[in-house]
Amino acid sequence: QVQLVESGGGLVQAGGSLRLSCAASGRTGSTYAMGWFRQAPGKSREFVANINWSGASTYYATSVKGRFTITRDNAKNTVYLQMNSLKPEDTAVYYCASKAAYYSGSYDYWGQGTQVTVSS
């Protein structure tokens, strides 16, 4: 089992920044690939970004590319999402997730989510 705990959400004005953290514990061998997802009210959950074990491979949704940066610190078993130039449409509950392979498989473990609210 892997436990994922997100933190860092909050209320910020448009144009501001937030950094989300996701701390992993348990079978961290299942955290080779880590991803961030978000779900806005009344909408389906959508992919935001992911990263492989070394951090050399990352991928972003078009809507956040150039504004968000995903990184990880394996010594701390933590993945981060730096969010800059936030927009009201970024308002959502943000979830981190993990899976055992970067290019295949599904995300097996999910955190409980952290709320991000961007005011206009």
Side-chain angles (χ1 to χ4, degrees), residues 27-45:
R27 289 178 54 193
T28 53
S30 296
T31 60
Y32 184 87
M34 299 291 294
W36 285 98
F37 295 76
R38 66 187 183 186
Q39 186 167 19
K43 294 187 177 181
S44 300
R45 186 170 58 196

Side-chain angles (χ1 to χ4, degrees), residues 52-74:
N52 72 340
W53 178 259
S54 69
S57 294
T58 58
Y59 186 75
Y60 297 90
T62 301
S63 59
V64 306
K65 197 169 186 178
R67 300 188 297 122
F68 291 10
T69 303
I70 188 171
T71 58
R72 66 189 298 167
D73 183 340
N74 292 331

Side-chain angles (χ1 to χ4, degrees), residues 6 13 20 22 35-36 40 47 49 51 55 62 64 68 77 86 89 94 103 109 113 119:
E6 302 97 335
Q13 288 188 333
L20 305 183
C22 173
W36 285 98
F47 168 81
I51 188 168
T62 301
V64 306
F68 291 10
N77 291 324
L86 282 162
E89 51 263 45
Y94 283 71
Y103 291 108
Y109 300 98
S119 63

Side-chain angles (χ1 to χ4, degrees), residues 1-8 19-28 31 34-36 71-81 94-98 109-114:
Q1 292 290 328
V2 174
Q3 294 77 43
L4 303 174
V5 179
E6 302 97 335
S7 60
R19 189 177 81 154
L20 305 183
S21 299
C22 173
S25 60
R27 289 178 54 193
T28 53
T31 60
M34 299 291 294
W36 285 98
T71 58
R72 66 189 298 167
D73 183 340
N74 292 331
K76 296 181 179 179
N77 291 324
T78 301
V79 63
Y80 304 97
L81 186 67
Y94 283 71
Y95 300 90
C96 70
S98 71
Y109 300 98
W110 295 81
Q112 82 290 346
T114 186

Side-chain angles (χ1 to χ4, degrees), residues 91-111:
T91 295
V93 178
Y94 283 71
Y95 300 90
C96 70
S98 71
K99 58 177 178 170
Y102 184 66
Y103 291 108
S104 62
S106 59
Y107 287 89
D108 301 310
Y109 300 98
W110 295 81

Side-chain angles (χ1 to χ4, degrees), residues 10-16 85-91 116-120:
L11 173 64
V12 64
Q13 288 188 333
S85 302
L86 282 162
K87 305 175 181 180
E89 51 263 45
D90 294 318
T91 295
V116 171
T117 303
V118 184
S119 63
S120 57

